[in-house]
Amino acid sequence: WCHIRMIYLPMCFLYGRRFSYNAAADPLTMSLRSELYGGSDYNKIDWPNHRYSIADCDNFSPVHPLMRFAQTVFQLYEDWGAWSWLRRAALSF
């Protein structure tokens, strides 16, 4: 048994259910955001532009262009073409 499954399976389930945490109501989360992001407005950060932002000291192997293409295709699928019947079937399993 792979222990990493104990982390990724619940995360996939929550993502499939489109779980949303109301971080604005949690003072601890808001405090951490202001500390980590230097007081800038968290909601105005352009997250898609930072998909491949990796510190030089952490970049052991650069992301291959084919992987970037695949991730872009999967993101388009998630944004526009997710088949709701397939998602429901997967989550009911």
Side-chain angles (χ1 to χ4, degrees):
W1 179 258
C2 182
H3 298 289
I4 200 75
R5 291 182 188 173
M6 300 302 288
I7 296 169
Y8 283 115
L9 284 175
M11 287 173 49
C12 291
F13 179 78
L14 290 174
Y15 181 79
R17 292 281 183 188
R18 299 293 196 246
F19 175 78
S20 179
Y21 172 67
N22 185 8
D26 186 2
L28 177 62
T29 303
M30 296 306 291
S31 174
L32 286 171
R33 282 183 179 178
S34 67
E35 182 179 337
L36 291 172
Y37 298 106
S40 62
D41 190 7
Y42 180 83
N43 294 325
K44 292 184 180 177
I45 296 174
D46 190 12
W47 293 110
N49 282 342
H50 293 288
R51 181 175 291 144
Y52 305 110
S53 296
I54 302 171
D56 289 334
C57 62
D58 293 330
N59 195 7
F60 298 114
S61 68
V63 179
H64 194 273
L66 185 61
M67 177 58 93
R68 288 179 185 239
F69 174 75
Q71 289 176 340
T72 302
V73 169
F74 290 141
Q75 185 61 48
L76 290 173
Y77 167 77
E78 278 295 317
D79 291 343
W80 296 335
W83 299 328
S84 59
W85 63 270
L86 182 60
R87 187 178 301 271
R88 280 193 307 271
L91 290 172
S92 68
F93 178 65

